[in-house]
Amino acid sequence: MNSLVTKIHDLQIAPLKQIRDERGAVYHYLKSTDSSFKGFGEAYYSKINPQVIKGWKLHHRLHQNFCVPFGDVKIVIFDDRVDSPSRGQFDEIVLNDTDNYYLLSMPPGLWYSFKCISENFALLANIINEGHDPLESITLPLENSIISYDWK
């Protein structure tokens, strides 16, 4: 796999290595030497049931590092940053544990939402550079006046 090109300024997508054999597999995720690594604050999984959409969310300070070790997830990113050359752009990225096993590294200031598009639940893993702070982020409902994306 090669790195994918994104429409969003400073959004990074890089292939991740998997080592598979008859016993199972090892899924690489994030190394401290990766350019997208900004420090460790917390790691967690978000379980998403089939056809469920979570979002919209924006972090003011957090750098996020997503991968999907189980299932299929469609992630939509919207750039509303005033000083960004990609302001107003959307990007749609599908991550999964088979043919799209990538690291998606997202800087602060981007809106994102995601949906499980597999038949069973999916897990979205996230490593962030700070511990969770509920005052550090903002959310919007799926239908709002800022982000004009149709999930249908």
Side-chain angles (χ1 to χ4, degrees):
M1 279 188 287
N2 296 321
S3 293
L4 297 176
V5 177
T6 71
K7 299 175 190 174
I8 306 291
H9 182 68
D10 292 331
L11 188 68
Q12 298 176 18
I13 304 175
L16 293 171
K17 186 176 181 179
Q18 294 178 347
I19 303 167
R20 296 172 175 259
D21 64 23
E22 66 282 350
R23 301 168 297 164
V26 172
Y27 289 30
H28 287 240
Y29 184 2
L30 184 64
K31 298 176 187 170
S32 62
T33 55
D34 290 344
S35 64
S36 59
F37 182 76
K38 306 296 183 197
F40 179 79
E42 186 175 331
Y44 65 89
Y45 292 105
S46 182
K47 181 179 179 184
I48 316 149
N49 290 326
Q51 301 305 308
V52 170
I53 303 168
K54 294 186 177 185
W56 293 97
K57 191 165 196 169
L58 179 145
H59 287 281
H60 296 292
R61 295 188 316 266
L62 290 183
H63 290 265
Q64 300 183 91
N65 294 284
F66 293 154
C67 84
V68 175
F70 184 85
D72 297 91
V73 177
K74 178 180 178 181
I75 304 167
V76 177
I77 301 105
F78 176 64
D79 189 352
D80 193 36
R81 298 171 295 177
V82 174
D83 59 346
S84 174
S86 58
R87 184 172 191 200
Q89 293 288 320
F90 285 93
D91 216 339
E92 299 175 337
I93 298 161
V94 174
L95 299 180
N96 61 41
D97 58 335
T98 54
D99 55 337
N100 282 328
Y101 189 63
Y102 285 87
L103 173 65
L104 173 61
S105 298
M106 191 177 344
L110 295 173
W111 288 101
Y112 67 94
S113 181
F114 49 84
K115 178 181 183 178
C116 174
I117 57 172
S118 47
E119 290 183 22
N120 295 311
F121 74 90
L123 289 178
L124 179 114
N126 193 6
I127 295 176
I128 55 179
N129 64 314
E130 297 179 14
H132 177 71
D133 174 0
L135 302 176
E136 179 278 334
S137 64
I138 55 176
T139 60
L140 286 173
L142 290 177
E143 294 183 23
N144 63 76
S145 61
I146 296 172
I147 304 167
S148 59
Y149 184 83
D150 186 3
W151 273 100
K152 295 173 178 77

